[in-house]
Amino acid sequence: MKKLAIYGAAGFGRGIAPLAREMIARMGNASPDALVFVSDMPEIIGTTVNGLSVISYEELRREKDRQVVVALADHQTRREIVARCEKDALKFFSLVATSHRTLDDVTVGEGAIICDNTLFTSNIKIGRHFQCNIYSYVEHDCIIGDFVTFAPRVNCNGRIVIEDDVYVGAGAVLKQGSTTKPLVIGKGAVIGMGAVVTKDVEPGATVVGNPARRLERGAA
């Protein structure tokens, strides 16, 4: 019977553990080791966190029947862990809360974490290892790349292109694009908490405020 692992026992990993427990229960797996945390922190390996055993990556690597989801918000760390897992032929699963709703013609890549009270409407394409935290939504005709992170309450309105490795902070609002010119958030950009994004964001830029403006390096 399938066994699952959450890579990362910090805040987000602990936050999604109940969703994974629900998934295990739906699968009918009552084994005490059906769900575990994986950590690279020696001080917690071999302990129990929120009722789940914490194992090392080496232990995970030996369990070829255990699928994993990576619960770290930083895109670069997430990429490195995913690459390591792929090298060792480990398999990923997507974790989707039962309160999430997907409506029409939506595709999502592997390894997604989609939390409670989230919504994807229609004609949406989402890449690999997407994280969508509580109360966030993605509206129609959006394209989202790989390793994108949504903090809680992200408002992603229609006709937006979000490139790979973007982080969108809590409560950010992304203005709807048009049929001829979608709003584009460039690769590796960071959208600050509560920012209201009304125009394209350059790759690698950090924007904050309402309306969102680029935060220059060294600015207070």
Side-chain angles (χ1 to χ4, degrees):
M1 190 170 288
K2 187 183 295 184
K3 296 189 293 183
L4 305 179
I6 299 169
Y7 206 124
F12 189 50
R14 287 182 278 113
I16 65 167
L19 304 182
R21 286 194 184 97
E22 291 175 1
M23 184 174 180
I24 285 287
R26 292 195 299 271
M27 292 161 45
N29 189 348
S31 170
D33 71 339
L35 176 66
V36 298
F37 285 120
V38 182
S39 179
D40 295 324
M41 301 171 61
E43 62 270 26
I44 67 169
I45 292 170
T47 68
T48 299
V49 172
N50 287 21
L52 298 179
S53 297
V54 183
I55 67 172
S56 68
Y57 179 75
E58 286 305 310
E59 291 175 88
L60 174 67
R61 189 169 62 87
R62 291 194 293 268
E63 295 188 47
K64 297 297 186 181
D65 62 335
R66 191 183 291 279
Q67 296 184 345
V68 61
V69 69
V70 183
L72 293 102
D74 179 73
H75 69 86
Q76 186 58 45
T77 304
R78 198 149 86 241
R79 277 190 178 276
E80 290 169 0
I81 291 171
V82 166
R84 187 198 312 176
C85 292
E86 289 174 337
K87 182 179 178 182
D88 289 325
L90 299 177
K91 302 297 184 184
F92 301 101
F93 72 97
S94 290
L95 184 56
V96 182
T98 55
S99 62
H100 165 78
R101 291 200 69 194
T102 289
L103 301 184
D104 190 36
D105 192 17
V106 176
T107 61
V108 182
E110 69 176 359
I113 299 174
I114 302 171
C115 297
D116 276 309
N117 301 303
T118 53
L119 171 67
F120 303 159
T121 63
S122 62
N123 304 95
I124 297 164
K125 182 177 180 181
I126 298 172
R128 302 168 61 238
H129 300 281
F130 177 53
Q131 292 182 0
C132 186
N133 216 316
I134 55 174
Y135 297 105
S136 295
Y137 67 78
V138 181
E139 260 286 6
H140 62 90
D141 301 297
C142 286
I143 300 174
I144 297 175
D146 298 336
F147 296 91
V148 171
T149 304
F150 280 11
R153 292 190 182 276
V154 168
N155 302 277
C156 180
N157 293 294
R159 298 192 173 94
I160 295 172
V161 175
I162 300 177
E163 297 181 350
D164 296 350
D165 303 329
V166 168
Y167 180 89
V168 186
V173 178
L174 310 182
K175 180 184 177 181
Q176 179 169 314
S178 69
T179 55
T180 57
K181 189 183 185 304
L183 182 76
V184 177
I185 311 298
K187 181 176 180 178
V190 175
I191 310 302
M193 181 187 306
V196 177
V197 180
T198 60
K199 59 183 181 180
D200 293 353
V201 177
E202 295 178 359
T206 296
V207 298
V208 297
N210 178 9
R213 292 181 171 84
R214 184 164 184 153
L215 181 66
E216 298 301 334
R217 190 169 297 179

